[in-house]
């Protein structure tokens, strides 16, 4: 028995030293642990739980990501399959065993797999064991794992250092029983890596966690065979590259000695490695070694030692220097020199050493990243950039670079002049450096639109194409035209089946000019009864361009002017007014559209209000107040749902033109208990002019518009918003967790109250005036629904005829989306920015996701209406305000590609008038000019020029500026439009052709993207 026991002890000691049996058992086990990637989704896959490494790289969140992507019509094209043994071990709680990545991050490529964006973390790493400085390696092993690289036993298990583990177990037992000092740890570098990568919060919370780390580290060590020599060297490299070293504002989480030296001490990685090589007797080597040593020590409590505990870190570093010299790892000379140096980790200047980032150059990649954030449900770019993810976008990086470079170069006056952007209607005497240009180009695909270019020269994070709310002027006329022809389509559906007798009996309100015209059109018995013929007749309807008429709209009396005085005395058809961009024609057309929606519904409120004695009025009131009131509540709920409580009033104010009276009523309703100081601050913050309202008037208004002074209906009228919308914002401010059902139930009294005054006959003229404003709002809600179908980006329209001239603002990207609908036969299809997402490549979690084939498309316009609009806007280019672009795009065989589009100029100013209409203050807010276009039947987009702030007073450019710029870009875009086309010339070549003063071409040929 004693002999047997002696043999067992001897074998145990031998196994502890050599790990021979462990090597055999675990390497045989790992032969059955593997994975492979196959087409389609996998059932044999196990994603890890939340842990620092798996969460940072996105592995733990992949089930959630894939569910979100599935809801957005992406599907798994290929995915990893675990072997049965790998599944078994994962289900037992063992960390998934594979060769883990040290460096990874988000990579975005364009449609031809050319790099567009790359983020790799950690940024500074050692590629192999030979690159790591010997002194740094020896110091690490002395502190953490002295036997790790002992070559005596090549099969040694790096997960366990038995003497150290035994000492740690004994000390832990004594500490638990008797209390006292904290026990020393028994972790090897291999188990430490498992801990800070895969254990919850990177900590060891129990003996179960420790066992899990040791088993996982053991399996990982033997996954390539019994000999662990190279594995143990790799463990050292992995530790140096990935050890957690807290986080720093402006950079974030710091991992690895390389990044740690840069972030905490401002040290260049290559310089540090030079100083730590050889005998380390160079000037600066002592401080560099002490700093690197301090990080090896700081990993025990990094947030403390690299923060408020820097004094303790200094003492520990000095102690370790003495121990290392005593052990012969460093020389006494290096020790003494290092002891004289002081550590200053928090004062590192590494962040300041980073190269300045150009927002302009990253606009395209940022657009993709923002879309990716929306797809994955994580809006933190910091998190996205650290995912192990490769994304293929639809963008064309070569064309993107050419266009972006040109937009930047146009800040140079000489370049702007060569491009033909100076002179009347162009930049004039304005400084080209202040003009922001934005450009979007998309390609129509079978089921989606592919974003090919999106850029601007605004060197700030804001994306002008998608993020700015701009007055884009007469481009709103295109939206008005679409709404008008959509109404003609409605009339055709309703009236064309009727017989002449039925048409004669049709009752139409005198104010509803469009319905009247529709009835008269069919009574005239046109030879061609088709919708196409009716649409052409509608485009031939004539309106006056006379600016002398006043219009009651938006709660007041307004007058409008034309851009060209030649249009003032003319009567012209709608199609010509579109070509010439005649304001007054479209103001009158918008009036007809508003009146149509006022009267087109049987028994509408507008028709009932014509007769004060109508017996239906009383019964109608209750029905109208309840039914219509609920409908408005539903619409307003959709507008405010999900908005932060503190932003509700901002959304409301964004729907109106702010005036003191309007803002006063909004504030006193939404914030009834606010102080006078808060009231005054609110008006000053939201009015365009800070000095518009004198202090004495603010005091008077604060009392005048208190809640008890006016009814809800009156407050809504004075605020120029629907009273129920005003009430809802106030209610949601007071009840931020209210549901829709609760809001509707709580508004029962208010729904009745709002409409009661409408049906009293006292002072009918004044009431009708107020009724007209309310009913006009209702009409603009109907118009807004049509505009939203066409991609309009905002939650409301300004209820004024001026909306047809751009008063409700727009976005370049939204205009481009509308153009896509027009050239796609009235079908709205989604815009695709990302073709595929490849998660965790080369890991057991590898998943390739591609766009699916079930894209939801919506027919928002009849094809006939879309064709009519497309033909009309081609006339704008062939013989209208955009004729500069009519021969901009020419194929290699000389064929001209037809271009259609609509121009718009926005000149936003804030003016204060004295009594009698005299202007006493005029402040320039911004100036913009836009061209929304289509090129042939596949490509479409928008070009915008924009100047913000007081500087805009120095510019008088019109939409001729973006039109000319598109002609300048045309040769560079031809390889996209005509695959195989190669433009000729340098970056800017001056042409002698009138209307084509310059051509911008790349120095290397562009290849067209697939799609």
């Amino acid at each position: 028995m004693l002999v047997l026991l002696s043999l067992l002890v001897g074998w145990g000691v031998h196994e502890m030293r050599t790990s021979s049996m462990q090597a055999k058992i675990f390497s045989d086990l790992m032969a059955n642990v593997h994975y492979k990637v196959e087409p389609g989704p996998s059932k044999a896959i196990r994603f890890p739980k939340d842990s620092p490494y798996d969460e940072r790289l996105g592995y733990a969140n992949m089930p959630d990501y894939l569910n979100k992507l599935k809801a957005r019509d992406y599907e798994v094209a290929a995915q990893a399959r675990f072997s049965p043994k790998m599944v078994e071990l994962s289900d037992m709680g063992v960390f998934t065993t594979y060769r883990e990545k040290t460096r990874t991050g988000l990579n975005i490529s364009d449609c031809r797999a050319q790099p567009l964006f790359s983020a790799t973390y950690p940024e500074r790493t050692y590629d192999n064991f030979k690159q790591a400085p010997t002194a740094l390696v020896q110091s690490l092993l002395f502190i953490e794992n002295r036997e790790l690289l002992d070559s005596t036993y090549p099969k040694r298990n790096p997960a366990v250092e038995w003497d150290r583990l035994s000492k740690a177990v004994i000390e832990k037992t004594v500490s638990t029983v008797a209390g006292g000092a904290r026990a020393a740890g028994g972790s090897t570098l291999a188990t430490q890596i498992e801990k800070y990568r895969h254990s919850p919060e990177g900590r060891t919370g129990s003996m179960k966690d420790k066992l899990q780390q040791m088993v996982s580290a053991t399996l990982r060590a033997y996954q390539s065979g019994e000999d662990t020599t190279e594995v143990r060297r790799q463990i050292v490299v992995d530790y140096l590259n990935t050890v957690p070293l807290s986080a720093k504002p402006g950079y974030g989480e710091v991992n690895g000695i390389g990044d740690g030296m840069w972030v905490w001490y401002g040290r260049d990685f290559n310089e540090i490695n030079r100083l730590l090589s050889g005998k380390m007797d160079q000037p600066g080597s002592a401080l560099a070694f002490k700093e690197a040593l301090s990080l090896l020590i700081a990993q025990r409590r990094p947030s403390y030692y690299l923060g408020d505990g820097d004094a303790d870190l200094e003492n520990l570093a000095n102690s370790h220097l003495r121990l290392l010299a005593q052990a012969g790892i460093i020389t006494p000379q290096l020790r003494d020199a290092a002891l004289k140096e002081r550590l200053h980790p928090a004062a590192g200047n590494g962040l300041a050493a980073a190269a300045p980032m150009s927002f302009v150059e990253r606009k395209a990649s940022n657009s993709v990243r923002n879309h990716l954030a929306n797809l994955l449900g994580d809006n933190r770019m910091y998190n996205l950039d650290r995912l192990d993810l490769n994304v293929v976008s639809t963008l064309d990086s070569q064309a993107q670079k050419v266009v972006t470079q040109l937009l930047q170069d146009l800040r140079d006056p000489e370049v702007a002049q060569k491009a033909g952007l100076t002179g009347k209607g162009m930049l004039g005497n304005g400084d080209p450096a202040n003009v922001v240009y934005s450009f979007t180009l998309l390609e129509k695909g079978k089921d989606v639109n592919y974003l090919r270019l999106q850029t601007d020269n605004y060197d700030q994070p804001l994306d002008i194409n998608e993020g700015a709310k701009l007055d884009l002027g007469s481009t709103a006329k295109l939206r008005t035209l679409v709404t008008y022809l959509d109404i003609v389509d409605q009339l055709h559906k309703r009236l064309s089946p009727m017989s002449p007798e039925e048409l004669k009996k049709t009752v139409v309100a005198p104010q509803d000019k469009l319905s009247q015209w529709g009835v008269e059109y069919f009574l005239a018995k046109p030879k061609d009864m088709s919708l196409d013929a009716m649409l052409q007749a509608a485009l031939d309807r004539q309106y006056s361009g006379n600016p002398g008429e006043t219009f009651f709209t938006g709660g007041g009396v307004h007058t409008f002017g034309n851009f060209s005085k030649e249009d003032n005395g003319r009567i012209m058809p709608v199609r010509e007014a579109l070509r010439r961009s005649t304001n007054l024609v479209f103001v009158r057309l918008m009036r007809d559209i508003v009146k149509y929606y006022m009267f087109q519904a049987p028994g509408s409120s507008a028709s009932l209000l014509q007769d004060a004695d109508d017996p239906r009025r009383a019964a109608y009131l209750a029905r109208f107040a309840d039914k219509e009131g609920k409908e408005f509540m539903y619409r307003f709920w959709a507008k405010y749902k999900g908005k932060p409580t503190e932003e509700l009033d901002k959304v409301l104010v964004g729907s109106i033109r702010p005036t003191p009276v309007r803002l006063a009523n909004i504030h006193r309703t939404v914030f009834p208990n606010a102080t006078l100081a808060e009231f005054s601050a609110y008006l000053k913050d939201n009015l365009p002019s800070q000095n518009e309202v004198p202090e004495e008037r603010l005091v008077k208004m604060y009392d005048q518009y208190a809640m008890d002074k006016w009814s809800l209906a009156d407050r809504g009228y004075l605020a120029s918003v629907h009273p129920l919308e005003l009430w809802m914002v106030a209610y949601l401010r007071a009840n931020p967790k209210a549901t829709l059902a609760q809001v509707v139930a709580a508004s029962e009294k208010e729904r009745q109250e709002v409409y009661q005054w409408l049906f009293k006959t006292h002072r009918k003229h004044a009431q009708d005036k107020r009724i007209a404003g309310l009913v006009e709002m209702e009409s603009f809600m109907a118009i807004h629904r049509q505009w939203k179908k066409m991609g309009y980006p905002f939650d409301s329209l300004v209820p004024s005829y001026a909306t047809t001239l751009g008063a409700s603002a727009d976005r370049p990207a939204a205009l481009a989306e509308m153009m896509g609908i027009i050239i796609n036969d009235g079908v709205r299809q989604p815009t695709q920015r990302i073709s595929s997402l490849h998660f965790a490549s080369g890991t057991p979690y590898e998943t390739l996701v591609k766009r699916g084939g079930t894209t939801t498309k919506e027919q928002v316009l009849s094809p006939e209406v879309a064709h009519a609009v497309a033909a009309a806007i081609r006339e704008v280019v062939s013989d209208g305000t955009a004729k500069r672009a009519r021969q901009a795009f020419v194929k290699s065989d000389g064929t001209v590609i037809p271009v259609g589009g609509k121009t718009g100029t926005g000149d936003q100013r804030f003016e204060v008038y004295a009594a009698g209409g005299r202007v006493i203050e005029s402040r320039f807010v911004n100036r913009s000019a836009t061209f929304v276009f289509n090129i042939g039947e596949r490509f479409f987009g928008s070009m915008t020029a924009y100047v913000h702030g007081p500087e805009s007073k120095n510019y008088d450019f019109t939409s001729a500026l973006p039109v000319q710029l598109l002609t300048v870009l045309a040769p560079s875009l031809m390889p996209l439009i005509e695959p195989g086309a190669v433009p000729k010339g340098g970056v800017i070549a001056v042409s002698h052709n009138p209307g084509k003063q310059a051509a911008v071409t790349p120095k290397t040929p562009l290849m067209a993207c697939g799609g």
Side-chain angles (χ1 to χ4, degrees):
M1 186 69 179
L2 185 60
V3 174
L4 180 61
L5 182 61
S6 299
L7 290 174
L8 286 173
V9 171
W11 175 85
V13 172
H14 179 267
E15 179 62 23
M16 286 180 184
R17 291 175 179 172
T18 65
S19 303
S20 297
M21 180 175 286
Q22 298 171 64
K24 175 63 175 173
I25 293 172
F26 290 120
S27 61
D28 287 348
L29 175 63
M30 289 307 298
N32 296 313
V33 177
H34 52 81
Y35 67 92
K36 59 182 177 180
V37 178
E38 293 182 349
S42 169
K43 294 182 180 179
I45 190 169
R46 301 292 187 270
F47 293 108
K49 297 179 180 179
D50 288 343
S51 62
Y53 179 86
D54 297 308
E55 190 171 4
R56 182 172 69 248
L57 274 60
Y59 304 154
N61 297 324
M62 279 185 61
D64 181 55
Y65 292 157
L66 296 179
N67 285 334
K68 286 184 168 66
L69 288 166
K70 183 178 180 181
R72 300 291 292 273
D73 194 37
Y74 285 86
E75 57 188 27
V76 174
Q79 196 168 40
R81 272 81 169 157
F82 284 19
S83 66
K85 181 57 71 175
M86 197 173 201
V87 170
E88 180 183 345
L89 290 173
S90 295
D91 291 343
M92 291 171 58
V94 177
F95 303 141
T96 306
T97 308
Y98 64 101
R99 177 70 186 100
E100 294 181 326
K101 297 181 180 181
T102 295
R103 299 182 72 201
T104 189
L106 176 64
N107 289 283
I108 303 174
S109 59
D110 76 347
C111 53
R112 290 183 315 277
Q114 297 300 307
L116 194 65
F117 172 86
S118 180
T120 306
Y121 298 94
E123 297 181 69
R124 302 155 191 84
T125 59
Y126 297 107
D127 293 336
N128 53 59
F129 183 76
K130 292 182 179 179
Q131 285 189 357
T134 301
L136 192 61
V137 171
Q138 291 178 344
S139 299
L140 171 63
L141 296 178
F142 180 80
I143 297 170
E144 298 290 349
N145 201 162
R146 298 181 185 183
E147 300 174 5
L148 180 62
L149 297 186
D150 185 350
S151 59
T152 307
Y153 305 108
K155 298 180 181 181
R156 189 183 189 97
N157 183 357
V160 186
E161 201 168 78
W162 290 104
D163 53 350
R164 190 175 180 192
L165 178 63
S166 301
K167 181 174 180 291
V169 171
I170 294 171
E171 291 184 359
K172 179 68 174 176
T173 303
V174 172
S175 174
T176 302
V177 174
R182 182 180 176 182
S187 297
T188 62
L189 290 183
T191 56
Q192 284 190 54
I193 292 174
E194 298 294 330
K195 175 185 70 174
Y196 66 64
R197 277 185 166 176
H198 302 297
S199 291
E201 298 182 356
R203 303 174 185 272
T204 303
S206 64
M207 287 302 296
K208 178 183 176 183
D209 289 345
K210 176 58 67 178
L211 182 62
Q212 187 181 38
Q213 295 161 13
M214 293 176 64
V215 171
S216 299
T218 298
L219 291 174
R220 209 179 301 278
Y222 292 109
Q223 62 183 326
S224 298
E226 296 184 27
D227 190 333
T228 62
T229 303
E230 290 302 319
V231 171
R232 284 179 279 151
R233 291 176 180 171
Q234 189 61 47
I235 287 171
V236 174
V237 178
D238 287 348
Y239 187 89
L240 290 174
N241 285 336
T242 64
V243 59
L245 295 171
S246 191
K248 188 170 185 178
Y251 183 83
E253 187 178 355
V254 183
N255 290 284
I257 297 299
D259 280 6
M261 291 295 287
W262 184 76
V263 172
W264 294 114
Y265 293 111
R267 291 288 198 164
D268 177 77
F269 189 52
N270 293 327
E271 177 66 9
I272 280 292
N273 292 325
R274 184 185 67 81
L275 292 172
L276 297 183
S277 63
K279 296 181 180 180
M280 291 192 295
D281 54 357
Q282 310 169 66
S285 289
L287 178 58
F289 178 76
K290 186 174 183 178
E291 289 172 342
L293 176 65
S294 74
L295 295 182
L296 297 178
I297 299 167
Q299 61 84 21
R300 300 170 188 173
R301 296 175 64 194
S303 59
Y304 171 71
Y305 287 129
L306 297 172
D308 295 336
D310 55 348
D312 289 343
L313 181 63
E314 177 76 29
N315 292 332
L316 281 172
N318 290 338
S319 299
H320 280 77
L321 285 169
R322 297 185 183 98
L323 290 172
L324 290 169
Q326 185 178 345
I329 293 174
I330 62 172
T331 64
Q333 291 81 5
L334 179 62
R335 174 200 62 197
D336 294 342
L339 287 172
K340 295 177 183 178
E341 301 286 355
R342 295 284 298 179
L343 298 171
H344 301 285
N349 61 355
L351 301 183
M357 180 180 65
S358 169
F359 290 107
V360 172
E361 294 174 357
R362 299 184 70 172
K363 284 294 171 74
S365 60
N366 285 345
S367 170
V368 178
R369 290 163 75 215
N370 288 329
H371 184 61
L372 178 64
N374 179 260
L375 286 176
L376 301 183
D378 189 341
N379 59 7
R380 292 189 62 198
M381 294 297 116
Y382 175 89
N383 292 345
L384 292 179
D385 289 350
R386 283 157 177 77
L387 296 178
D388 183 6
L389 175 60
N390 296 312
V391 172
V392 177
S393 77
T394 63
L395 290 165
D396 182 315
S397 64
Q398 291 184 28
Q400 180 87 20
K401 289 177 183 176
V402 172
V403 173
T404 300
Q405 186 61 56
L406 171 69
L407 297 186
Q408 288 180 289
D409 292 345
L410 288 175
R411 295 179 180 276
D412 184 332
E414 183 178 349
V415 176
Q417 183 179 13
K418 288 182 178 180
L421 302 183
T422 57
K424 184 175 176 58
M426 299 290 181
L427 294 176
N429 296 321
D431 185 353
N434 294 326
V435 183
V436 173
Y437 298 102
S438 71
F439 182 64
T440 299
L441 184 71
L442 299 99
E443 181 180 2
K444 182 183 73 173
K446 180 181 178 182
D447 298 306
V448 295
N449 298 323
Y450 301 103
L451 181 67
R452 294 306 189 199
L453 284 92
Q454 182 164 312
T455 187
D456 59 54
N457 65 341
Y458 184 54
D459 198 11
Q460 293 295 328
L462 176 66
D463 186 332
I464 297 297
N465 283 291
E466 294 189 338
K469 185 175 184 179
L470 303 177
D471 177 359
L472 299 180
S474 291
T475 53
K477 292 172 185 169
L478 179 56
R479 294 197 184 276
T480 304
L481 179 71
V482 172
T483 304
Y484 168 54
L485 295 183
D486 189 51
I487 289 173
V488 173
D489 183 21
Q490 297 174 36
L491 291 171
H492 185 270
K493 287 183 174 68
R494 190 168 80 241
L495 301 177
S496 61
M498 292 185 182
S499 66
E501 291 73 20
E502 291 173 319
L503 288 168
K504 291 175 183 178
K505 293 178 181 178
T506 301
V507 178
V508 179
Q511 298 93 329
D512 185 0
K513 303 296 184 184
L514 296 184
S515 294
Q516 280 186 349
W517 173 80
V519 171
E520 292 169 359
Y521 176 81
F522 284 108
L523 282 173
K525 298 181 180 180
K527 293 181 180 179
D528 188 347
M529 298 281 286
S530 68
L531 175 57
D532 286 329
M534 189 176 183
L535 291 169
Q536 295 306 312
L539 288 169
D540 288 332
R541 288 182 67 240
Q542 295 191 331
Y543 286 90
S544 170
N546 177 21
E549 183 180 357
T550 59
F551 299 84
F552 183 81
T553 182
V557 176
H558 296 265
T559 59
F560 302 95
N562 291 316
F563 175 75
S564 173
K565 293 183 179 179
E566 295 178 1
D567 295 338
N568 289 354
R570 298 187 58 195
I571 296 176
M572 67 185 76
V574 172
R575 68 171 78 246
E576 183 180 353
L578 182 73
R579 289 200 306 268
R580 300 178 62 85
S581 201
T582 306
N583 289 346
L584 267 300
V585 169
F586 275 86
V587 169
R588 292 182 170 97
L589 180 59
M590 177 59 85
R591 178 173 62 184
D592 282 356
I593 291 170
V594 170
K595 298 295 184 183
Y596 170 81
Y597 281 113
M598 279 186 181
F599 294 95
Q600 58 104 15
S604 67
S605 56
S607 61
L608 283 172
L609 293 175
Q610 300 304 302
D611 183 4
D613 298 321
D614 192 318
R616 300 174 298 164
R617 290 166 67 101
Y620 180 80
L621 172 61
R623 184 172 73 252
F624 177 84
D626 188 64
K627 179 178 177 296
E628 297 298 313
K630 282 182 180 178
E631 184 176 337
F632 288 126
M633 297 303 287
Y634 297 149
R635 295 178 194 172
F636 298 141
W637 175 263
K639 180 176 178 179
Y640 293 99
K641 179 184 178 183
K643 299 287 193 301
T645 304
E646 63 275 10
E647 294 183 8
L648 295 175
D649 62 295
K650 295 181 177 65
V651 176
L652 179 62
V653 172
S655 305
I656 65 168
R657 181 176 62 85
T659 67
V661 172
R662 291 172 179 174
L663 291 173
N665 277 275
I666 289 174
H667 189 268
R668 295 297 278 137
T669 302
V670 178
F671 306 94
N673 299 319
T675 64
L676 174 61
E678 291 169 334
F679 173 79
S680 302
Y682 186 83
L683 264 65
K684 290 178 180 178
D685 289 344
N686 286 281
L687 283 169
S689 173
Q690 296 291 327
N691 304 317
E692 185 184 359
V693 185
E695 195 64 35
E696 59 272 16
R697 188 184 175 199
L698 286 170
V699 175
K700 181 179 178 181
M701 292 173 70
Y702 177 77
D703 179 67
Q704 182 180 1
Y705 297 114
M707 284 282 286
D708 59 347
K709 301 292 177 64
W710 302 87
S711 69
L712 176 60
D714 290 335
R715 281 181 274 127
Y717 174 76
L718 291 169
S720 195
V721 299
H722 198 290
L724 292 177
E725 182 176 8
L726 185 61
W727 177 89
M728 178 180 283
V729 172
Y731 183 82
L732 290 177
R733 283 282 311 187
N735 304 275
K737 295 183 179 180
T739 63
L740 174 60
Q742 291 170 331
V743 171
V744 172
S747 67
E748 182 177 4
K749 174 177 173 291
E750 283 73 17
R751 294 201 307 274
Q752 295 293 325
E753 175 190 334
V754 162
Y755 294 100
Q756 287 295 325
W757 66 274
L758 295 176
F759 296 85
K760 298 176 182 178
T761 57
H762 179 61
R763 299 183 64 186
K764 183 175 183 298
H765 176 72
Q767 292 174 1
D768 285 351
K769 184 178 178 181
R770 299 174 82 176
I771 290 170
L774 182 59
V775 176
E776 185 179 57
M777 289 183 203
E778 297 171 6
S779 295
F780 272 97
M781 286 183 179
I783 296 169
H784 178 255
R785 287 196 295 274
Q786 202 282 336
W787 282 31
K788 286 290 284 185
K789 290 195 303 181
M790 300 297 295
Y792 184 71
F794 304 118
D795 291 330
S796 61
L797 295 175
V798 175
S800 166
Y801 301 157
T803 283
T804 195
L805 306 181
S808 290
D810 218 319
R811 283 183 177 145
L815 286 170
E817 182 178 10
M818 177 176 62
M819 185 60 73
I821 295 170
I822 292 169
I823 68 168
N824 198 32
D825 299 333
V827 174
R828 183 180 183 180
Q829 55 190 27
T831 296
Q832 182 171 319
R833 293 170 175 80
I834 293 176
S835 299
S836 67
L837 303 93
H838 197 167
F839 292 93
S841 176
T843 77
Y845 316 120
E846 183 166 354
T847 303
L848 177 62
V849 180
K850 292 187 176 181
R851 190 76 187 226
T854 59
T855 301
T856 302
K857 299 190 294 183
E858 183 183 4
Q859 187 81 46
V860 296
L861 282 182
S862 71
E864 294 86 351
V865 170
H867 298 162
V869 175
I873 59 177
R874 280 197 294 271
E875 295 179 17
V876 174
V877 177
S878 65
D879 194 32
T881 55
K883 58 187 176 183
R884 287 172 176 267
R886 61 187 169 189
Q887 293 186 328
F889 296 89
V890 183
K891 293 184 178 182
S892 54
D893 63 3
T895 304
V896 175
I897 301 175
V899 176
K902 182 68 188 80
T903 58
T905 304
D907 182 14
Q908 188 175 355
R909 308 181 194 185
F910 176 79
E911 296 183 333
V912 179
Y913 293 86
R918 180 172 56 90
V919 177
I920 59 175
E921 180 187 348
S922 181
R923 183 166 58 85
F924 288 79
V925 178
N926 61 60
R927 187 173 186 86
S928 64
T930 303
F931 182 40
V932 55
F933 58 84
N934 68 275
I935 306 166
E937 297 180 353
R938 283 174 43 229
F939 291 89
F940 57 96
S942 64
M943 172 70 77
T944 300
Y946 173 66
V947 179
H948 177 70
E951 289 294 327
S952 60
K953 70 180 180 180
N954 300 322
Y955 300 83
D956 58 359
F957 59 76
T958 67
S959 53
L961 181 64
V963 175
Q964 173 62 18
L965 188 48
L966 182 65
T967 67
V968 170
L969 289 175
S972 297
L973 301 175
M974 281 307 299
L976 279 171
I977 297 165
E978 184 189 17
V982 179
K984 300 178 181 179
V987 175
I988 291 199
V990 179
S991 169
H992 297 290
N993 295 333
K996 294 182 65 177
Q997 294 170 294
V1000 179
T1001 57
K1003 296 179 180 179
T1004 56
L1006 297 181
M1007 300 302 293
C1009 281

